Amino acid sequence: MTISPTLKNDRLEVVDALRGFALMAIVLLHSMEHYNLFHTPEWQPHWLDTLDSYITDTVWFFLAGKAYATFSLLFGFSFYIQMRNARRLGHDFRLRFAWRLLLLAGFAQLHALFYNGDILLFYAVCGLILIPASSWSNRTVLIVAGVLLLQPIDWIHMIISHFDPTYIDTNSRFAQFAASAEQVAAHGNLWQTLANNITTGQLYSNFWQVEAGRICQTPGLFLLGMWLGRKELFVRSDRSVRFWQRTLMAALVVFGPLYLLRELVSPQLTDTTWISHWGIAVGLPINFVMMAILVSMFILCWFGSQDGRGFRWQKVSVNFGRMSLTNYITQSIIGVTLFYNFGLGLYRYCGGTLSMLIGIAIITVLVTWNRLWLSTHRQGPLEYVWKRLTWLHTI
């Protein structure tokens, strides 16, 4: 049976739904981490500790790193949509996009005041690669994305260490900033927390992202998202369905050997540099493959629904994705107020299970608010501000 391509609006809905689910997963992960305030409560009974362990391991296996990767992939896709729409109107969007990234860096400062795990500033810097890449061929985009996703920096460190035993890199420069940020979050008042977050917290967040391999992974995912947009693979058609089916099958085949490679080799390592970088060099490609499985399944379910416009359980996240910037910053403000010392200090009392339930409650509140807001507005409040400032000289 031949599938008729869906309309432009459907394409945006499946992307919004996928972005929304990725952001919901990020909220759950942040909540279970107490927003970078890592602490295991001592009051819990043994059965709750055991339940916490199972729940945390399960959530981390399926979502940790995969939600971020999905969110990054769709950032690149969004750039393609903006570039395509501008070209249709006869405009060159590249300088405008650079200005848009600068605005995103401004939003990052607002977010970083409250949460020392901000990704927006990192996105604003990594997003610059999309400007020259917009004129690259599809083949070049795929090659560069592929090289970046293989984590070349970590392999370079390990190769140097192999040939020079005196070379040592612990890949942990972020740790000194992490310790300071965690102490203030656990014991500081509001003003101490804000001051520390906007200074030490930003060093913590961005050093960690570089050392965790995201300095290569993030621009690689941006490029791949742009390529998916060019190939119209979020539009429902026979070709796109085949692509996602093949992606799912390939990812399932590759995942097992990659996972075993990491688990079997890691215990055998003795070199400090290899121990520090091996988990990233192999771990992030594993996360990428797992993300490909989850994204493919989500999209195939969406395309395979009765009308090709998604199942009801998928549509729940459409509004959440439409208001992703607003939701991302809002959930952090809510979360740190609940968990940090200046607020309710719940980090002292909540293990993995209770923290997950709090994350679900935050999502529920935001989903309800999103539905009410979008019933009378076309986009979220921060999305509106971002758009108006992006086109400041043309309105």
Side-chain angles (χ1 to χ4, degrees):
M1 181 180 68
T2 300
I3 297 174
S4 299
T6 50
L7 299 175
K8 173 185 171 183
N9 186 57
D10 297 323
R11 175 188 193 164
L12 296 179
E13 274 200 347
V14 66
V15 170
D16 281 336
L18 187 56
R19 184 185 293 112
F21 266 108
L23 185 52
M24 288 178 180
I26 288 171
V27 175
L28 279 183
L29 292 166
H30 285 179
S31 185
M32 294 175 73
E33 294 174 334
H34 304 152
Y35 289 80
N36 282 351
L37 182 46
F38 302 96
H39 177 79
T40 302
E42 299 176 356
W43 65 270
Q44 294 189 159
H46 177 70
W47 68 266
L48 188 52
D49 282 333
T50 303
L51 181 61
D52 282 351
S53 179
Y54 283 125
I55 287 178
T56 300
D57 288 346
T58 301
V59 171
W60 249 248
F61 178 79
F62 284 104
L63 300 181
K66 296 80 176 178
Y68 172 86
T70 304
F71 205 66
S72 301
L73 185 78
L74 299 179
F75 185 90
F77 172 80
S78 295
F79 166 77
Y80 162 74
I81 292 295
Q82 293 161 352
M83 179 69 72
R84 183 202 64 183
N85 291 342
R87 282 177 175 169
R88 286 178 175 177
L89 296 174
H91 302 307
D92 187 341
F93 188 69
R94 286 175 294 184
L95 287 178
R96 186 79 60 178
F97 183 71
W99 166 241
R100 187 172 172 83
L101 290 176
L102 183 61
L103 293 172
L104 184 63
F107 284 116
Q109 303 316 299
L110 169 64
H111 185 233
L113 271 173
F114 297 92
Y115 176 45
N116 55 42
D118 170 70
I119 65 168
L120 299 180
L121 182 60
F122 196 69
Y123 268 33
V125 174
C126 291
L128 291 171
I129 194 175
L130 292 168
I131 297 174
S134 64
S135 60
W136 296 351
S137 68
N138 286 339
R139 181 181 180 182
T140 301
V141 169
L142 271 186
I143 291 173
V144 175
V147 170
L148 290 171
L149 291 172
L150 289 174
Q151 301 303 130
I153 292 177
D154 294 284
W155 285 106
I156 290 170
H157 281 292
M158 291 188 291
I159 291 170
I160 293 174
S161 176
H162 177 75
F163 289 103
D164 180 6
T166 64
Y167 178 78
I168 298 174
D169 184 79
T170 62
N171 203 36
S172 59
R173 296 168 187 82
F174 75 92
Q176 58 181 313
F177 306 114
S180 172
E182 191 166 347
Q183 278 297 308
V184 174
H187 305 291
N189 58 35
L190 174 61
W191 303 115
Q192 290 169 332
T193 301
L194 297 180
N196 186 269
N197 282 349
I198 200 66
T199 52
T200 303
Q202 293 218 65
L203 294 172
Y204 167 28
S205 174
N206 289 289
F207 266 99
W208 180 85
Q209 292 189 87
V210 170
E211 295 181 320
R214 289 183 175 179
I215 190 65
C216 289
Q217 183 199 46
T218 303
L221 289 167
F222 287 176
L223 292 173
L224 187 58
M226 182 178 70
W227 179 84
L228 290 170
R230 287 182 178 182
K231 303 297 285 186
E232 298 191 335
L233 293 170
F234 289 111
V235 176
R236 183 173 177 261
S237 66
D238 289 330
R239 184 170 66 90
S240 61
V241 168
R242 285 195 301 271
F243 171 83
W244 292 112
Q245 288 173 338
R246 291 169 181 170
T247 298
L248 176 59
M249 294 305 298
L252 287 170
V253 169
V254 171
F255 177 77
L258 262 181
Y259 186 80
L260 286 175
L261 178 66
R262 183 184 65 179
E263 297 304 304
L264 293 176
V265 172
S266 295
Q268 311 304 320
L269 298 176
T270 57
D271 182 88
T272 299
T273 303
W274 275 74
I275 292 172
S276 302
H277 289 276
W278 173 257
I280 296 169
V282 180
L284 290 191
I286 290 173
N287 285 344
F288 172 77
V289 172
M290 187 70 173
M291 177 211 69
I293 293 172
L294 298 174
V295 169
S296 297
M297 291 174 62
F298 186 95
I299 293 174
L300 288 171
C301 283
W302 185 281
F303 289 167
S305 60
Q306 188 172 9
D307 59 358
R309 297 170 62 91
F311 290 98
R312 181 176 297 180
W313 61 268
Q314 293 178 298
K315 293 181 179 179
V316 170
S317 64
V318 171
N319 287 342
F320 208 79
R322 286 179 61 190
M323 292 179 57
S324 57
L325 177 62
T326 298
N327 286 330
Y328 179 63
I329 294 178
T330 303
Q331 60 88 24
S332 292
I333 295 173
I334 295 173
V336 298
T337 302
L338 293 175
F339 287 109
Y340 281 18
N341 183 70
F342 77 81
L344 298 183
L346 294 182
Y347 80 92
R348 299 182 180 91
Y349 316 108
C350 296
T353 305
L354 292 177
S355 297
M356 183 186 69
L357 293 175
I358 290 173
I360 292 173
I362 294 173
I363 292 169
T364 302
V365 169
L366 291 176
V367 166
T368 303
W369 175 50
N370 293 171
R371 184 175 64 251
L372 293 173
W373 180 272
L374 292 175
S375 66
T376 55
H377 300 79
R378 295 184 61 183
Q379 55 192 159
L382 293 186
E383 287 75 13
Y384 173 80
V385 172
W386 197 15
K387 181 178 179 180
R388 295 287 290 184
L389 292 177
T390 296
W391 299 97
L392 188 62
H393 299 297
T394 60
I395 57 177

